[in-house]
């Protein structure tokens, strides 16, 4: 038979035909072979219409174009650009899991999948999918190994103790304070059973700034790193864990240095201390020459010591969209390397004989690489500086190897290096914003270059020098505008996700500030650093600081326009769709990149959706000291002065107005308040908080707690605050734990951080300090009901058992990890599963210490919650 019929490809006479049912194929075969061979049968199915064939043809053409575009992307080697994307996705999956995924099954899966991918040669799509799966597994393994490598012990609860430690590094923090990173040597009064390795402590600078390696002692207040201020917000304990910081706090008085023999560590510790000493000397030199914000700003650009800048200036820079200048980021590193590279190459070109005999471009690149390495070493090894250095080093090494210096492959290689060493950075806003801006700028530059190559060059109508300068000036201004616009658009979604705000006038501020930074600040700073060893740096430091004064003026002026727009917390899928769309737009060069537009459109649609605002909800900080009742028209809080750190996050995430202070009803005098628990009270009854208050005190407290106002909290100083929600729920926040029992008899919800028990016998929902440690911040939507079973409750931490959250479950009284929660707060099955995972012997976790049996509660029939 001359003609060939293939069912799989539907190829007839070499022409690709649409898929057809068996009856259509039989009919076509019969008609072509003829009636002598096969009788023509009546058609079982109707023939395809012209419309259906045209639709199939369009689909086939689209598939062909898609295949051609994928092949073209492959020829350009763009598959490599998605390697860090797959590794980062695996790291994100592992880091966001509720519990640690097993390591070895994923390691075995990665090996098997990689082997399968390498064995496939004919099916490129299947091979790509298998390689992506292997890279995702690799990302999960790298995240697990980084967690093992860090192994940071985080303090379980706040404590005041006498500490002795060695100064690892220090930094000026404004207002005459010093910020120390201290390696704990010993603790006393009380001795901490589960001490962290390193702590971050603030101290008064009156006693001077201690050198790195000095052993200091003092009484300090230590607290665990803060968790999320609300469910879904940033967990600062996560960052502290991977930074090696187990606690934060402050010295009550200026610490003093003592003589002690301490293991100095290996040579790397000695080199690191020397570098931090050098960094401190450079910062002190700059701030000594130019006091105030200008000097602190200049020191921050060179040494990354940012905390000496006043809060007002930092806020103005943030609102104006200029905060990226303060950190040692890609901009600072690129300007420093570019100025050094161009300057050295220009200087060498002044000697024609040398320039013809030697590769001056590579010499300049090597010199710039040495310079940025020195810049990084004195920068304090910050995250942004590390990332900027790796990216700039890759670019300069590409110049040495005669490879394209500015390309997406170099950006991808830099991302791979960072993700292999510190995969946890993938969740940080600094990593995301930096690489988003860099990838967008490189992709935009490449697209503009291709467009310029396709257009014929048109000569200028006039060749007068003034016209040339005018065109050059316009190109410079246009470059700044496009750079700022592309960078701002690429990073906006990450600013919205992490900071819940947009700097709407950032383009104007950058347009006014970047010429100052590019032509004055960075060149003067570079020359000052080269001349500082000879003591000739002062004039250039003054030029740098005066230029930064102008930048501060611009920032404050633009911030005065009110361009800081708060957008609130976003949908959980907002960043996923937005980042995926941005990756497709920037990493691809064919028409496939337009597939990112629908994803960005979905992210924009999610952004425009209003955050659900219940009629009334309760916001509770993780330590229980700040409680806010949100209802239509505002939010009432239980404190006259709210902590800015917590409420600032509440305000941005929920777009809240200024808080309404409580009503202070100071009807009781100190002489009327009971001073202590009466002697002879049984231990069990003291544990319940039923302190046998006088009956008159109990009755008066009960009357005062039965409030009917939903407008503001009514507070008795140092005792309690109470409010009734629009749903009829009386919320009582207890400061004096002796009134917890009274509140259990009266309220619909009790928040008692200092309570000695976790459940009310009356069945009233109670949030004690131990419970809040396990849950983190809590948000309760009363859903129009006073019944707890009908409330919608969100907690920040209760479903998580990770190395950076497990410290919350540690009970130092009993020496065990206990994650149990009251039944009204979580489902019993979830409660028991978490408890089974974490209620383990503390010796297995390396904490040690004696064990104490839990004291039992008295029979509920003996007395009520008030102790009567």
């Amino acid at each position: 038979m001359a003609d060939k019929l293939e069912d799989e490809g539907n190829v007839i006479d070499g022409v690709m035909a649409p898929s057809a049912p068996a009856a259509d194929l039989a009919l076509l075969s019969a008609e072509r072979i003829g009636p002598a061979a096969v009788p023509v049968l009546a058609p079982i199915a109707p023939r395809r219409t012209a419309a259906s064939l045209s639709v199939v043809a369009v689909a086939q053409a689209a598939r062909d174009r898609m295949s051609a575009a994928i092949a073209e992307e492959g020829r350009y080697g763009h598959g490599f650009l998605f390697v860090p994307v797959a590794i980062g996705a695996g790291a994100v999956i592992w880091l966001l899991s509720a519990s640690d995924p097993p390591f070895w099954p994923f390691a075995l899966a990665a090996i098997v999948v990689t082997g399968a991918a390498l064995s496939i040669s004919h099916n490129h799509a299947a091979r790509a999918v298998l390689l992506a799966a292997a890279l995702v597994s690799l990302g999960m393994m790298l995240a697990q190994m980084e967690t093992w490598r860090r192994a940071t012990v985080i303090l379980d609860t706040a404590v005041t103790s006498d500490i002795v430690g060695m100064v690892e590094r220090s930094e000026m923090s404004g207002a005459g304070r010093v910020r120390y990173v201290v390696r704990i040597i010993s603790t006393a009064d009380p001795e901490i059973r589960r001490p962290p390795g390193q702590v971050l402590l603030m101290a008064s600078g009156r006693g001077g700034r201690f050198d790195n390696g000095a052993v200091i002692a003092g009484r300090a207040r230590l607290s665990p790193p803060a968790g999320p201020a609300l469910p879904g917000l940033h967990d600062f304990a996560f960052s502290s864990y991977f930074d090696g910081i187990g606690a934060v706090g402050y010295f009550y008085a200026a610490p003093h240095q003592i003589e002690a023999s301490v293991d100095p560590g290996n040579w790397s510790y000695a080199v690191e201390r020397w570098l931090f000493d050098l960094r401190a000397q450079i910062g002190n030199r700059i701030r000594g020459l130019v006091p105030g914000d200008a000097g602190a700003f200049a020191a921050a650009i060179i040494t990354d010591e940012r905390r000496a800048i006043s809060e007002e200036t930092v806020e103005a820079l943030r609102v104006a969209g200029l905060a990226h200048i303060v950190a040692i980021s890609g901009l600072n590193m690129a300007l420093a390397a570019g100025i050094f590279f161009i300057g050295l190459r220009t200087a060498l070109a002044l000697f024609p004989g040398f320039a013809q005999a030697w590769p001056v471009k590579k010499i300049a690149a090597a010199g710039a690489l040495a310079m940025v390495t020195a810049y990084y070493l004195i920068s304090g090894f910050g995250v942004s500086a590390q990332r900027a250095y790796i990216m700039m080093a890759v670019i300069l090494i590409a110049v040495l190897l005669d490879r394209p210096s500015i390309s997406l492959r170099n950006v991808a290689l830099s991302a791979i290096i960072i993700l292999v060493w510190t995969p946890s950075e993938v969740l940080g806003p600094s990593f995301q914003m930096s690489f988003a801006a860099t990838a967008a700028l490189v992709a935009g530059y490449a697209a503009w270059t291709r467009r310029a190559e396709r257009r014929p060059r048109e000569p200028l109508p006039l060749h007068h020098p003034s016209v040339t300068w005018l065109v050059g000036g316009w190109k410079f201004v246009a470059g700044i505008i496009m750079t700022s616009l592309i960078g701002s658009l690429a990073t906006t979604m990450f600013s919205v996700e992490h900071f819940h705000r947009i700097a709407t006038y950032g383009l104007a501020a950058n347009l006014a500030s970047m010429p100052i930074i590019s032509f004055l600040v960075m060149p003067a700073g570079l020359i000052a650093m080269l001349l500082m060893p000879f003591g000739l740096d002062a004039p250039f430091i003054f030029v740098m600081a005066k230029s930064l004064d102008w930048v501060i003026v611009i920032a404050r002026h633009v911030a005065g326009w009110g361009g800081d727009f708060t957008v609130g917390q976003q949908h959980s899928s907002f960043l996923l769709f937005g980042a995926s769309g941005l990756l497709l737009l920037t990493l691809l060069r064919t028409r496939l990149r337009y597939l990112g537009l629908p994803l960005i459109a979905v992210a924009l649609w999610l952004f425009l959706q209003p955050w659900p605002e219940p009629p009334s909800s309760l916001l509770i900080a993780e330590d229980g000291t700040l409680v806010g009742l949100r209802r239509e028209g505002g939010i009432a809080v239980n404190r006259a002065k709210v902590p800015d750190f917590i409420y600032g996050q509440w305000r941005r995430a929920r777009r809240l107005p200024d808080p309404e202070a409580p009503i202070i009803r100071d009807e009781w005098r100190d002489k009327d308040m009971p001073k202590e628990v009466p002697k002879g009270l049984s231990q069990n009854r003291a544990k319940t908080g039923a302190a046998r208050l006088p009956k008159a005190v109990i009755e008066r407290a009960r009357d005062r707690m039965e409030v009917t106002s939903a407008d503001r909290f009514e507070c008795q100083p140092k005792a309690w605050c109470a409010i009734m929600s629009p749903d009829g729920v009386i919320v009582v926040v207890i400061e004096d734990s002796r009134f917890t029992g009274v509140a259990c008899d009266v309220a619909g919800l009790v928040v008692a951080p200092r309570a000695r028990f976790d459940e009310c016998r009356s069945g009233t929902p109670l949030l004690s300090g131990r419970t809040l440690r396990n849950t983190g911040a809590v948000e309760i939507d009363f859903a129009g009901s006073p019944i707890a079973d009908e409330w919608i409750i969100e907690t920040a931490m209760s479903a998580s058992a990770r190395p950076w959250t497990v410290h919350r479950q540690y009970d130092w009284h009993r020496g065990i990890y206990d994650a149990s929660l009251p039944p009204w707060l979580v489902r019993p099955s979830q409660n028991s599963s978490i408890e089974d995972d974490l209620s383990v012997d503390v010796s297995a976790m390396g904490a040690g210490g004696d064990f104490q049996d839990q004291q039992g509660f008295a029979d509920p029939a003996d007395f009520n919650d008030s102790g009567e």
Side-chain angles (χ1 to χ4, degrees):
M1 189 184 304
D3 299 322
K4 182 180 180 182
L5 175 65
E6 296 184 4
D7 289 342
E8 294 181 357
N10 299 324
V11 180
I12 301 175
D13 285 342
V15 179
M16 182 68 71
S19 300
D24 287 349
L25 293 177
L27 179 60
L28 289 172
S29 301
E31 290 177 345
R32 294 180 61 82
I33 295 173
V38 179
V40 178
L41 302 176
I44 299 176
R47 291 181 179 273
R48 291 183 180 273
T49 63
S52 65
L53 290 175
S54 63
V55 171
V56 174
V58 170
Q60 181 62 44
R63 189 176 72 174
D64 292 342
R65 288 195 297 269
M66 176 77 73
S67 300
I70 293 176
E72 184 179 355
E73 295 287 354
R75 287 193 299 271
Y76 284 110
H78 284 187
F80 177 76
L81 305 181
F82 289 88
V83 170
V85 176
I87 295 175
V92 168
I93 292 172
W94 192 91
L95 293 170
L96 294 184
S97 299
S99 59
D100 289 1
F103 177 79
W104 294 111
F106 282 100
L108 181 61
I111 295 173
V112 172
V113 171
T114 303
L118 296 178
S119 64
I120 295 177
S121 59
H122 60 283
N123 193 332
H124 296 290
R127 185 177 186 181
V129 171
L130 290 176
L131 286 176
L135 291 172
V136 169
S137 300
L138 175 62
M140 299 180 69
M141 295 162 55
L142 291 171
Q144 173 72 85
M145 288 188 289
E146 184 191 12
T147 305
W148 286 343
R149 188 172 71 248
R150 294 295 183 183
T152 303
V153 176
I154 299 181
L155 186 67
D156 51 279
T157 188
V159 63
T160 299
S161 178
D162 294 326
I163 69 167
V164 176
M166 185 175 65
V167 176
E168 296 285 347
R169 55 186 181 271
S170 61
E171 178 181 355
M172 295 303 298
S173 188
R177 295 180 298 175
V178 184
R179 186 170 177 260
Y180 291 106
V181 175
V182 179
R183 176 154 60 94
I184 295 295
I185 298 174
S186 64
T187 61
D189 191 25
E191 180 181 356
I192 301 175
R193 295 184 180 181
R194 189 174 171 270
Q198 287 188 132
V199 298
L200 184 63
L201 294 172
M202 299 293 296
S204 171
R206 292 193 301 269
R209 181 174 175 179
F210 297 104
D211 296 332
N212 297 332
V215 179
I216 61 175
R219 190 157 185 84
R221 179 67 174 177
L222 301 177
S223 302
L230 284 176
L233 299 188
H234 177 67
D235 183 8
F236 293 92
F238 175 86
S239 306
S240 295
Y241 179 90
F242 288 100
D243 290 339
I245 303 298
V248 296
Y250 54 90
F251 284 104
Y252 282 103
H256 57 278
Q257 186 171 355
I258 63 175
E259 296 294 333
S261 58
V262 181
D263 180 14
N266 54 28
W267 64 270
S268 62
Y269 277 104
V271 173
E272 183 176 344
R273 290 194 196 100
W274 180 82
L275 289 173
F276 277 109
D277 283 337
L278 179 61
R279 177 192 183 214
Q281 293 172 13
I282 294 173
N284 291 336
R285 166 74 174 174
I286 296 173
R287 288 188 295 269
L289 289 173
V290 185
D293 281 344
F297 200 167
I301 290 178
I302 293 177
T303 67
D304 209 25
E305 290 188 354
R306 291 170 268 174
R307 297 184 178 272
I309 307 175
S310 67
E311 289 294 333
E312 295 78 9
T313 299
V314 171
E315 183 63 17
L317 291 168
R318 185 181 296 116
V319 173
L322 297 175
H324 62 93
I325 300 175
V326 181
I328 297 180
S329 59
L331 170 66
N332 308 59
M333 200 75 74
L335 287 174
I339 293 169
F340 191 92
F341 175 81
I342 294 173
L344 181 58
R345 188 178 182 184
T346 302
L348 294 177
L350 296 177
F351 304 93
F354 182 87
Q356 293 178 359
W358 296 90
V360 294
K361 180 179 179 181
K362 293 185 178 182
I363 294 175
L369 180 60
M371 188 276 301
V372 296
T373 301
Y375 192 7
Y376 171 66
L377 291 177
I378 65 172
S379 67
F381 311 109
V383 174
S384 59
Q386 179 189 72
R387 183 178 54 260
Y389 169 71
I390 291 175
M391 191 175 299
M392 191 53 55
V394 169
I395 291 174
L396 293 173
I397 291 173
V399 174
L400 293 174
L401 300 178
D402 294 321
R403 304 292 296 174
S405 57
I406 301 177
S407 67
L408 287 174
R409 292 181 65 86
N410 290 343
V411 177
L413 182 60
S414 304
I416 291 173
I417 294 173
I418 294 173
L419 289 174
V420 167
W421 181 245
T422 56
S424 61
E425 293 299 330
V426 71
L427 292 179
S430 181
F431 177 93
Q432 295 172 4
M433 298 177 76
S434 176
F435 276 101
T438 303
L441 289 171
V442 173
Y445 172 78
W448 181 263
T449 303
R450 291 194 299 269
R451 177 179 178 275
E453 291 174 352
R454 290 193 297 265
R455 295 179 59 186
R457 293 183 177 271
E458 298 181 3
L460 291 174
L462 296 176
H463 295 278
H464 194 274
S466 61
V467 176
T468 305
W469 275 100
L470 182 62
V471 173
W474 161 246
K475 288 183 177 180
F476 176 76
V477 174
I480 293 179
I481 293 175
M482 292 305 299
T483 299
S484 300
L485 183 61
I486 293 174
S488 299
L489 291 177
T491 58
T492 294
M493 71 178 73
F494 302 100
S495 178
V496 167
E497 173 68 20
H498 295 287
F499 308 117
H500 318 301
R501 63 201 304 180
I502 299 176
T504 54
Y505 297 120
L507 179 60
N510 279 275
L511 183 61
S513 300
M514 289 315 300
I516 300 174
I517 298 295
S518 302
F519 292 110
L520 293 175
V521 174
M522 294 307 298
L526 179 59
I527 297 173
M529 292 306 301
L530 294 176
L531 296 179
M532 186 173 287
F534 308 101
L536 303 175
D537 55 318
F540 299 96
I541 293 294
F542 283 119
V543 172
M544 184 182 184
K546 183 61 178 178
S547 303
L548 288 173
D549 255 333
W550 297 341
V551 174
I552 294 173
V553 171
I554 293 172
R556 290 176 176 171
H557 181 72
V558 174
W561 298 350
D564 190 28
F565 182 58
T566 301
V567 296
Q569 189 174 1
Q570 298 302 305
H571 189 277
S572 57
S573 300
F574 164 76
L575 189 61
L576 174 63
F577 283 102
S580 300
L582 180 64
L583 287 171
L584 293 178
L585 277 176
T586 56
L587 301 186
L588 300 178
R589 65 174 295 169
T590 64
R591 292 185 177 182
L592 290 177
R593 66 181 182 271
Y594 296 123
L595 294 176
L597 293 178
L599 298 177
I600 294 179
V602 173
L604 181 61
W605 179 80
L606 293 174
F607 170 74
L608 296 175
Q609 298 303 305
W611 183 264
E613 297 183 2
S616 65
S617 61
L618 196 70
L619 310 181
I620 306 171
E622 63 176 351
D623 59 358
T625 57
L626 179 62
V627 178
L629 178 64
R630 185 184 182 188
R631 66 276 188 278
E632 186 177 357
I635 179 172
V637 296
N638 66 316
R639 299 182 63 176
K641 185 178 181 181
V642 297
D644 293 336
F645 178 73
I646 298 176
Y647 192 77
Q649 297 178 71
W650 286 11
R651 183 197 297 273
R652 291 188 294 272
R654 296 294 182 266
R655 291 183 290 187
L656 299 175
D658 292 335
E660 300 172 16
I663 300 172
I664 305 299
R665 302 200 180 279
D666 195 4
E667 299 176 0
W668 293 1
R669 303 300 178 186
D670 290 341
K671 62 183 181 62
D672 299 323
M673 296 291 291
K675 297 298 182 184
E676 60 183 9
V677 177
K679 295 181 179 180
L681 186 67
S682 67
Q683 186 177 12
N684 283 342
R685 297 181 70 179
K687 188 178 182 68
T688 66
R692 276 298 193 187
L693 297 171
K695 187 173 182 179
V697 173
I698 293 176
E699 293 298 331
R700 188 185 302 179
R702 182 182 288 116
D703 293 340
R704 299 297 186 273
M705 289 181 186
E706 291 180 342
V707 295
T708 58
S709 172
D711 295 331
R712 296 165 67 184
F713 275 91
E714 297 183 9
C715 297
Q716 173 63 43
K718 301 180 181 179
W720 74 82
C721 290
I723 193 172
M724 177 181 284
S725 75
D727 316 274
V729 180
I730 296 179
V731 179
V732 180
V733 183
I734 298 297
E735 185 174 350
D736 188 334
S737 61
R738 293 172 294 178
F739 291 94
T740 306
V742 183
C744 286
D745 293 339
V746 174
L749 174 65
V750 181
V751 181
R754 301 179 182 179
R756 300 181 181 180
F757 55 98
D758 300 323
E759 297 181 38
C760 294
R761 289 187 174 82
S762 62
T764 300
L766 169 66
L767 289 172
S768 64
R770 192 197 68 81
T771 300
L772 286 170
R773 282 177 56 208
N774 287 344
T775 62
V778 180
E779 187 170 7
I780 301 176
D781 176 6
F782 292 117
S785 172
I787 303 174
D789 292 340
E790 299 179 6
W791 298 344
I792 301 174
I793 303 173
E794 292 186 48
T795 60
M797 311 298 300
S798 59
S800 176
R802 306 307 302 275
W804 49 89
T805 64
V806 71
H807 64 280
R808 294 175 172 273
Q809 286 83 32
Y810 180 64
D811 184 350
W812 64 272
H813 289 287
R814 296 180 288 155
I816 65 172
Y817 287 84
D818 182 8
S820 61
L821 295 173
W824 69 273
L825 199 55
V826 293
R827 294 187 302 272
S829 59
Q830 179 184 3
N831 189 29
S832 60
S833 64
I834 298 176
E835 186 175 1
D836 292 340
D837 291 339
L838 294 177
S839 294
V840 296
D841 189 305
V842 72
S843 61
M845 307 293 287
D850 298 331
F851 291 89
Q852 299 178 6
D853 295 331
Q854 183 179 8
Q855 296 290 338
F857 291 106
D859 190 343
D862 290 346
F863 45 84
N864 62 12
D865 287 307
S866 300
E868 297 179 291

